[in-house]
Amino acid sequence: MAIQILLNFLIACIWMFLQSDTSTAAFLTGYFLGLLIIFAMRRAFSRRYYVYNIFAAFSLLAIFIKELLLANLSVLKVVLAPKIKASPGIFAYETNLEKPWEITVLSNLITLTPGTLVVEVSDDNKILYIHAMDMDDADKAREDIRNSFEKAIMEVSR
Amino acid sequence: MRRTNRKTNDVILQTTVQTVFFIIVIYSVHLFFSGHYTPGGGFIGGLMTSSAIVLLLLAFDVKTAASILPVNYLYVTAFGLLAAIGTGIGSLLYGMPFLKHWHGPVHIPFLGEIELATATLFDFGVYLVVVGVTMTIIQTIGETE
């Protein structure tokens, strides 16, 4: 993915020099042409066309903002409830992600979402220990994490 | 409670530091260069740079941080002092009093006319001394068992 972005920058720069025009407009024109050229040559790269990854990153950002709002609303509900009914606890979550940055992003997302908090990562980076505000929802939380965050992060790094 | 030396998995801290480090360093350089017209300068810039290195020390251990940045901070301090004294002695060469500073437009290729001041070199000396002294203090304390 990084190779494709660099190549696109290089194409844009070559375009600027060919035009003898170093303005932003010339750069953007060259960048757009580079996008088309790389799209045409996309089978020559080992990774997929990088614009998909950029869209995936934006959708991850959208998921993050949505979950952040929901998280704070649900905490508001717990705080304002007359009786504390929640039963806190810690559960393990096995992740399929491997790279350190993926695990970091996943645990930061888990921490910022409703009722869950990453306490510890196991030494082999396979299991996240998550503190849940309400243990009754642990299975549901596990499913949510697997279906929304982990999927979205995998989509970005694919 | 007995103190255990069990090492926990710091993957989250280490990955975060790997990205945050560069943001702090570029911010400290910005602070250093903004010192002339806006708040900032060599002192706060140097402190910010050394705080970035301290963050490295916190996330990794002393040995790893030393292998990432193989710098003897005593030399950094000495070089900073040399830079500060050098700007003072430079003015003597032009028949000016000690530490008389000069500023004026300089033509640099690609960048055009830029107003440069020798006070920046003095500030750079301050920057290096602050980085050197802070890191020497922290490393010395950190290495003693």
Side-chain angles (χ1 to χ4, degrees), chain A residues 13 38 89 92 95 114 139:
Chain A
C13 289
I38 292 174
T95 175
D139 281 328

Side-chain angles (χ1 to χ4, degrees), chain A residues 100-101 104 107 120-123 125, chain B residues 6-9 11-13 15-16:
Chain A
W101 75 264
T104 308
S107 28
E120 172 79 70
V121 184
S122 72
D123 286 335
N125 287 348
Chain B
R6 197 183 153 271
K7 187 115 177 57
T8 53
N9 191 357
V11 65
I12 299 172
L13 179 66
T15 337
T16 314

Side-chain angles (χ1 to χ4, degrees), chain A residues 84-105:
Chain A
I84 300 174
K85 279 178 287 182
S87 53
I90 292 176
F91 67 89
Y93 174 75
E94 273 181 56
T95 175
N96 299 322
L97 301 173
E98 279 156 12
K99 293 185 199 112
W101 75 264
E102 294 172 335
I103 292 163
T104 308
V105 170

